[in-house]
Amino acid sequence: MINVTKSYLPDLDEYVEHLKGIWDRVYLTNNGPLSLRLEQELRDYLGVKHLWFCSNGTIVLQMAIKALGITKEVITTPFSYCATTHTIIWEQCTPVFADIRPEDYTIDPTQIERQITENTEAIMATHVYGNPCQIEAIQRIADKHHLKVIYDGAHAFGATYQGKSVLSYGDISTCSFHATKVFHTVEGGLITCQTDEMANQLSLYRSFGHRNDDYIDIGINAKNSEVHAAMGLCNLPKVPDLIAAREERFGWYDSLLDWSRLSKPTRMGDLEYNYAYYPVVFRSEAQMLGVRDALNAVGVYPRRYFYPSLNTLPFVQKLSGRSLQPCPVSEDIALRVLCLPLYPDLAQADAERISRVINENL
Ligand SMILES: *Cc1c(COP(=O)(O)O)cnc(C)c1O
């Protein structure tokens, strides 16, 4: 069976070495030495000053909304994983959808401007498939209208834009270290921000809002454990090789698929890409489903990322007290897109077989 992704696992002996240290110290969580070391290595690798290792890529979005004091409308993308929208609603804010760009499926700045009201407080955008949003245009809009910018960078680990980590932009950026992502700690995530003050606030939120006997604010538990940090310490040094292996497999699909009958999103200039996903867009949903069935029949399981377009979810409309906010581009792409299997040890013969099945069913 070939799935859309396959988690990278480090050498077991290397992981066990870390576990032995954990067993010796009997120190399992709450900013233990492995978590602190991973955070420092992540700061060095990403080149960001303020960064916290957290328990997943969803709670960090909730922390971002809370820490920026957002309580009203958040302009967001309908083309993302459901967590992006859910966290906005979970934090009692209202998601207002701005449609995406047809070229690369990131949120469209001109559509953002159209959705601004006196209640707009923030923009929450996703770097789709690791390709950055229109960062400069979004920042200009945010500055003009005094809005905060949160980037869901769950796909963007290891990607750099204009020589800086894609995770270093906006007021707050987040990432997911879930087992399916380019870099993972089994479960995990990170949050980055721009100021000492915000970093301090986020660290408080991560640990119940108190430091020892000083109870300072409300908080939540978003810490991660030594066992997860150990996985991160094993995997982080491998990231450049993992990305290189992904790039090679990306090239195989690029050359094998029949582009006269398929399309794919463009990528930003001045980007060092992380090759996180391999999306392919078909001519119609029926064609995509036909290809998916043909792949499933030979044991290949691509995924519909992203589907459905989040603005169309009935419970999202109900909970935010709004009728459907149409986003025709996102709704259209969501019906036709499929992400193909892509992971560092995908065999060339499998990429060839997958490409053949796709081309034969177009
Ligand atoms: C994976 C993902 C998340 C959620 O991350 P978890 O670590 O699984 O909580 C959020 N947003 C996007 C875009 C994702 O792909």
Side-chain angles (χ1 to χ4, degrees), residues 199-211 214 216-220:
N200 190 33
Q201 181 67 58
L202 291 169
S203 120
L204 265 179
Y205 277 164
R206 182 176 65 163
S207 303
F208 303 102
H210 75 94
R211 290 209 179 87
D214 290 331
I216 301 158
D217 200 343
I218 59 161
I220 194 115

Side-chain angles (χ1 to χ4, degrees), residues 43-300:
R43 284 185 196 107
D44 294 343
Y45 174 75
L46 296 170
V48 303
K49 184 172 173 210
H50 299 298
L51 167 157
W52 303 118
F53 177 44
C54 294
S55 48
N56 60 66
T58 302
I59 201 155
V60 284
L61 290 169
Q62 293 175 240
M63 287 162 68
I65 294 167
K66 188 73 96 192
L68 292 168
I70 311 301
T71 60
K72 295 176 189 158
E73 292 175 8
V74 179
I75 297 178
T76 190
T77 175
F79 197 75
S80 184
Y81 185 57
C82 61
T84 316
T85 298
H86 291 184
T87 52
I88 295 170
I89 302 176
W90 199 272
E91 292 302 324
Q92 315 269 321
C93 299
T94 307
V96 175
F97 293 101
D99 207 353
I100 56 171
R101 290 158 29 95
E103 311 84 301
D104 65 5
Y105 321 153
T106 61
I107 196 165
D108 184 341
T110 54
Q111 298 293 337
I112 293 176
E113 284 212 280
R114 285 201 196 155
Q115 300 297 339
I116 292 173
T117 71
E118 62 194 22
N119 291 321
T120 308
E121 293 176 326
I123 299 164
M124 190 193 277
T126 299
H127 300 303
V128 178
Y129 308 130
N131 182 55
C133 299
Q134 299 289 297
I135 288 173
E136 295 86 0
I138 290 172
Q139 196 57 53
R140 270 197 302 277
I141 295 169
D143 290 344
K144 185 170 156 201
H145 298 275
H146 310 289
L147 308 176
K148 303 293 185 190
V149 179
I150 302 168
Y151 284 117
D152 181 344
H155 295 183
F157 193 86
T160 65
Y161 175 57
Q162 297 183 332
K164 283 168 54 178
S165 167
V166 173
L167 299 171
S168 60
Y169 295 91
D171 291 286
I172 291 182
S173 279
T174 66
C175 191
S176 166
F177 297 161
H178 184 258
T180 54
K181 313 286 183 186
V182 168
F183 164 74
H184 80 88
T185 60
V186 184
E187 291 273 359
L190 71 69
I191 190 161
T192 71
C193 62
Q194 306 295 345
T195 67
D196 294 351
E197 196 187 2
M198 180 56 72
N200 190 33
Q201 181 67 58
L202 291 169
S203 120
L204 265 179
Y205 277 164
R206 182 176 65 163
S207 303
F208 303 102
H210 75 94
R211 290 209 179 87
N212 301 319
D213 286 344
D214 290 331
Y215 287 75
I216 301 158
D217 200 343
I218 59 161
I220 194 115
N221 183 2
K223 293 175 272 98
N224 211 332
S225 81
E226 290 292 278
V227 176
H228 293 82
M231 182 63 80
L233 287 170
C234 292
N235 290 348
L236 186 58
K238 313 289 190 322
V239 167
D241 288 346
L242 296 177
I243 291 178
R246 287 174 168 279
E247 180 177 9
E248 188 184 13
R249 280 143 190 83
F250 218 88
W252 296 342
Y253 283 132
D254 278 350
S255 62
L256 290 164
L257 291 168
D258 179 357
W259 295 108
S260 69
R261 291 181 289 174
L262 292 167
S263 59
K264 60 182 168 182
T266 61
R267 282 210 299 272
M268 196 80 135
D270 211 356
L271 171 71
E272 269 200 61
Y273 189 45
N274 63 358
Y275 303 91
Y277 294 86
Y278 201 95
V280 173
V281 177
F282 295 83
R283 268 181 300 188
S284 65
E285 184 181 30
Q287 190 186 55
M288 183 276 293
L289 292 173
V291 168
R292 188 185 64 169
D293 289 348
L295 288 169
N296 288 173
V298 296
V300 176

Side-chain angles (χ1 to χ4, degrees), residues 326-359:
C327 295
V329 181
S330 174
E331 288 163 37
D332 175 47
I333 298 295
L335 290 177
R336 297 189 286 129
V337 68
L338 212 49
C339 282
L340 303 185
L342 182 68
Y343 44 85
D345 64 353
L346 177 72
Q348 189 158 14
D350 287 328
E352 286 166 1
R353 190 162 57 96
I354 291 165
S355 301
R356 199 175 327 117
V357 172
I358 294 172
N359 291 341

